[in-house]
Amino acid sequence: MVVELLTAGAAVASAGFVYVVTAARVVKQYERGVVFRLGRLREHVREPGFTMVVPGVDRLYKVNMQIVTMPVPAQDGITRDNVTVRVDAVIYFKVVDAAEAVIKVEDYRFAVSQMAQTSLRSIIGKSDLDDLLSNREKLNQGLELMIDSPAMGWGVQIDRVEIKDVSLPETMKRSMARQAEADRERRARVINADAELQASKKLAQAAHEMADEPAALQLRLLQTVVAVAAEKNSTLVLPFPVELLRFLERAQQAQAIPPAPSAPATPAVERKPGRPAAA
């Protein structure tokens, strides 16, 4: 009798152990458990830790609640100003409602990926090339709003969307390089012209000062001679007054002009009384 009781107890304990092993589940800290009992959703979502399900009756789905980083494949499109570009992006999202993510959509990862690709192509067609290159923050916000609107119905929240790279055709790259080079050259010329204007004003002021003080011009010539003599070269600089050149030029012009011939004397015409003079 005792042996039978021990055998029955051992059988019950073995059955209980098998049941516990079969029904035991562990939900990790970053997961939530969604239980379906005979195909119907249980209202209670299993929290992290040890939990039990009914073997053969319940089915447990574990949903990852971490932020998912998903690259969006590069999409080809034409911008609003008719430029062909290739744009890729990255999207960060997480599940906020585990039950909705399992029930409302078959595969929420695939759904978010397809929605991101479609929204990226749409945002390319609505934007100019300059916006894609320099105003990405505004485009990121618009792209995030376009993806987040349908994703909220799936229990998914879009955390952030970033445009990674914009690939341009080689011809467009060369055109932009020429444009940047031309703009740089234009600014260099404007700066050079402004410097020349300022220098001319200063030189005009210096000329007025030297006109009032003739000795200042002589001192400036001597400083120029010293500056040239400081270099080790065979050039000899001799200041030559400009007034002397002008004097020599006037003297040469005076020698080149021949003297004007004297006018012949006109003979006097004798007039007789009573007769007019001959014409």
Side-chain angles (χ1 to χ4, degrees):
M1 186 65 181
V2 177
V3 176
E4 293 178 356
L5 291 176
L6 292 177
T7 304
V12 171
S14 300
F17 178 76
V18 172
Y19 176 80
V20 170
V21 171
T22 307
R25 298 290 187 274
V26 175
V27 180
K28 297 180 181 179
Q29 182 64 37
Y30 53 86
E31 295 176 339
R32 297 296 182 271
V34 180
V35 179
F36 288 88
R37 176 165 294 176
L38 297 178
R40 296 191 61 182
L41 175 68
R42 301 290 292 176
E43 296 181 358
H44 179 64
V45 177
R46 303 298 173 90
E47 297 296 327
F50 181 79
T51 185
M52 298 285 291
V53 296
V54 179
V57 179
D58 292 344
R59 185 179 292 273
L60 178 66
Y61 292 92
K62 298 179 182 179
V63 181
N64 193 331
M65 307 296 288
Q66 292 176 311
I67 294 179
V68 180
T69 303
M70 178 182 294
V72 181
Q75 302 297 311
D76 295 325
I78 301 177
T79 61
R80 191 167 56 181
D81 49 354
N82 298 324
V83 178
T84 303
V85 295
R86 185 177 179 87
V87 183
D88 59 350
V90 60
I91 180 173
Y92 303 88
F93 66 93
K94 63 181 178 180
V95 177
V96 293
D97 191 335
E100 295 288 336
V102 174
I103 295 175
K104 293 299 182 67
V105 64
E106 180 181 2
D107 186 352
Y108 67 90
R109 289 174 179 262
F110 181 74
V112 171
S113 175
Q114 295 300 311
M115 179 58 65
Q117 296 179 37
T118 305
S119 301
L120 183 58
R121 286 194 296 268
S122 177
I123 208 72
I124 291 173
K126 296 179 180 178
S127 305
D128 295 330
L129 179 61
D130 293 338
D131 294 334
L132 287 174
L133 296 177
S134 60
N135 195 14
R136 293 190 182 182
E137 188 64 29
K138 182 179 178 181
L139 297 180
N140 292 338
Q141 294 176 1
L143 190 58
E144 178 181 349
L145 182 61
M146 293 176 64
I147 303 174
D148 191 55
S149 298
M152 288 299 295
W154 307 333
V156 178
Q157 178 182 353
I158 305 301
D159 188 69
R160 191 172 182 83
V161 181
E162 293 285 348
I163 295 177
K164 291 198 302 183
D165 187 25
V166 178
S167 300
L168 300 174
E170 292 297 329
T171 55
M172 180 58 63
K173 291 181 180 179
R174 289 194 293 268
S175 299
M176 294 177 66
R178 288 195 300 269
Q179 178 183 0
E181 184 179 357
D183 184 67
R184 292 285 183 179
E185 185 176 357
R186 177 186 62 84
R187 286 194 290 176
R189 290 183 178 180
V190 169
I191 293 173
N192 190 18
D194 186 43
E196 292 292 340
L197 177 61
Q198 296 179 9
S200 63
K201 291 181 179 179
K202 294 298 182 181
L203 289 174
Q205 295 177 5
H208 286 298
E209 294 293 335
M210 290 181 181
D212 296 336
E213 295 292 339
L217 181 60
Q218 187 66 24
L219 292 176
R220 189 72 186 94
L221 287 173
L222 293 176
Q223 290 178 357
T224 305
V225 172
V226 172
V228 174
E231 299 292 336
K232 295 180 179 181
N233 51 30
S234 59
T235 303
L236 180 62
V237 178
L238 293 176
F240 200 76
V242 180
E243 289 77 6
L244 181 58
L245 291 176
R246 292 177 180 174
F247 173 76
L248 295 175
E249 183 179 0
R250 288 195 296 268
Q252 185 178 3
Q253 291 178 357
Q255 293 177 1
I257 297 176
S262 58
T266 303
V269 178
E270 182 181 358
R271 295 183 181 180
K272 293 183 179 182
R275 281 187 170 184

